[in-house]
Amino acid sequence: MFFDWALGWFSLDMGIDLGTCNTLVCVRGQGIVLNEPSVVAVRKGTNIVLQNGNAVGLTAKEMLGKTPGSITAIRPLKDGVISDFEITEAMLAYFIRKVHGRRRFIKPRVVIAIPSGITAVEKQAVFHSAMQAQARHVYLVLEPMAAAIGANLPINEAVGSMVVDIGGGTTEVAIISLGDIAVSESIRIAGDNFDEAVTNHMKKTYNLMIGVLSAEKIKIEIGSASPVGPETTMEVRGRDMISGLPRKCIVTSEEIREALQEPTGKIIDAVTHTLEHAEPELAADLVETGITLAGGGSLLRGIDKVIQQATGLPVRLADDPLTCVARGTGLVLENIENLKDALESDLDEM
């Protein structure tokens, strides 16, 4: 007991939001210390990370769509779960090393947020990736619970609190009461699908092929889920699908909004479906407490309005929604001794 306490004193315990698009690390007592893209650059056909294992995160994202034939920039997580075990392990090891610094001889305790809809096998992949990345202990917490904690919702009270966490690969919808999830739904529709919808629109409408980074830029600059202010335009550059030559065109915020209707509609369906399965007393609470939006996808302009129109409930955006889950894991770390048994029991069920 004393030995484990001493290790905890000298090590930096971490909460990790292992996201499809970005990985955030929160250190107990320090807050968010790392926020980098979940991207790794490797030699093509291998799992060898470039630049002595340092081509990870921001460095690797800059290579997306621009790599020569000998290099591949990989996002090792898809739809919120691990699609490449070895690359994820290398990425986690890099981030833990970067945060832990010179304390390499003392392994940290790690809390990792995971989607509520993943399978036992997918949970095992996350757990073992973190252990192989030199964590001392690994605890798993469900993303909607971490998001609710990070948004300072009264999760331990006998009142219903609803959170919608729109990430890069998954959207987590949950109603929480008395410290546990009463009803939830996890769908693999989120920010990546917004980007994909923009890419498909440019192909179908303009015969223009654009990259992932360009699609994300369009979404951020002129994308919306409902009309917000005056309509705007943007110049988009890419490769003509017919001639194969570089070309540019002008797109409007209105057409991008139409392109985003399908993924937005699926998120709204998940929200309404969760509400339909809530107990009457919890549903009654939500008339007053409403819905809290978290995750980077909730930054899409007007998405709060369309959810409010569809449900009739008040909808608010959490403070700094992009870091909500990571801050939640940090708060779990601060209460790790009280929550340890509950977190470990989740592992026992895998």
Side-chain angles (χ1 to χ4, degrees):
M1 179 70 74
F2 174 79
F3 180 70
D4 196 57
W5 173 85
L7 284 177
W9 177 264
F10 288 106
S11 69
L12 290 178
D13 292 342
M14 305 175 193
I16 300 178
D17 176 11
L18 187 61
T20 304
C21 294
N22 296 286
T23 294
L24 289 84
V25 178
C26 181
V27 171
R28 183 167 60 176
Q30 297 184 26
I32 306 294
V33 297
L34 183 142
N35 181 357
E36 294 201 27
S38 302
V39 185
V40 181
V42 299
R43 296 195 181 280
K44 190 170 184 179
T46 73
N47 288 323
I48 301 173
V49 182
L50 296 179
Q51 299 176 10
N52 296 321
N54 294 324
V56 180
L58 291 169
T59 304
K61 185 175 182 180
E62 293 174 354
M63 303 179 186
L64 280 174
K66 301 179 181 180
T67 57
S70 60
I71 299 173
T72 304
I74 296 174
R75 293 172 59 182
L77 290 102
K78 182 175 176 59
D79 298 332
V81 297
I82 293 175
S83 59
D84 191 310
F85 180 84
E86 291 185 15
I87 299 300
T88 301
E89 180 187 319
M91 182 179 74
L92 267 175
Y94 171 80
F95 289 144
I96 289 175
R97 215 168 41 240
K98 187 172 182 178
V99 172
H100 216 235
R102 295 180 180 179
R103 298 175 179 84
R104 294 180 186 177
F105 62 95
I106 302 176
K107 298 179 181 180
R109 291 184 298 183
V110 175
V111 173
I112 300 181
I114 56 172
S116 60
I118 69 173
T119 65
V121 172
E122 291 166 339
K123 282 185 183 180
Q124 287 279 9
V126 175
F127 178 78
H128 290 298
S129 288
M131 290 300 291
Q132 291 297 320
Q134 302 304 304
R136 185 168 90 253
H137 294 300
V138 178
Y139 306 103
L140 305 182
V141 60
L142 297 180
E143 279 183 14
M145 182 62 77
I149 293 171
N152 294 317
L153 296 182
I155 62 168
N156 291 317
E157 297 179 11
V159 61
S161 299
M162 185 168 187
V163 64
V164 179
D165 175 30
I166 308 173
T170 63
T171 293
E172 306 289 324
V173 186
I175 300 173
I176 301 169
S177 177
L178 294 172
D180 204 354
I181 295 175
V183 58
S184 67
E185 182 159 348
S186 176
I187 60 169
R188 299 189 177 186
I189 301 290
D192 280 354
N193 300 90
F194 294 156
D195 298 341
E196 186 179 347
V198 172
T199 301
N200 291 337
H201 173 76
M202 297 305 298
K203 288 179 183 177
K204 293 177 182 177
T205 308
Y206 297 99
N207 286 322
L208 192 70
M209 183 79 73
I210 62 172
V212 174
L213 298 182
S214 295
E216 183 181 33
K217 185 177 180 181
I218 295 168
K219 175 189 68 178
I220 292 172
E221 292 194 10
I222 64 172
S224 66
S226 66
V228 283
E231 302 293 345
T232 56
T233 61
M234 179 179 175
E235 182 182 88
V236 179
R237 302 170 186 175
R239 176 167 58 82
D240 191 291
M241 295 174 64
I242 298 174
S243 68
L245 300 176
R247 181 167 63 85
K248 63 182 179 180
C249 66
I250 302 294
V251 297
T252 68
S253 56
E254 184 177 8
E255 62 183 290
I256 297 302
R257 182 166 60 251
E258 292 177 1
L260 294 174
Q261 281 185 355
E262 183 179 351
T264 301
K266 291 180 179 178
I267 291 173
I268 293 171
D269 289 343
V271 173
T272 55
H273 188 260
T274 303
L275 288 168
E276 289 168 1
H277 286 78
E279 292 293 332
E281 292 298 333
L282 288 176
D285 290 340
L286 296 176
V287 173
E288 182 177 347
T289 59
I291 300 171
T292 299
L293 301 184
S298 66
L299 294 173
L300 180 69
R301 285 182 291 272
I303 196 164
D304 55 337
K305 292 182 180 178
V306 296
I307 293 177
Q308 184 168 335
Q309 290 170 358
T311 62
L313 299 175
V315 178
R316 75 174 185 93
L317 198 62
D319 295 334
D320 196 5
L322 189 62
T323 65
C324 225
V325 172
R327 284 186 285 116
T329 62
L331 290 171
V332 170
L333 276 171
E334 292 180 8
N335 297 279
I336 193 71
E337 297 304 325
N338 297 327
L339 297 173
K340 186 187 294 185
D341 291 340
L343 294 170
E344 286 182 337
S345 68
D346 287 341
L347 284 180
D348 293 339
E349 294 173 5
M350 290 195 303

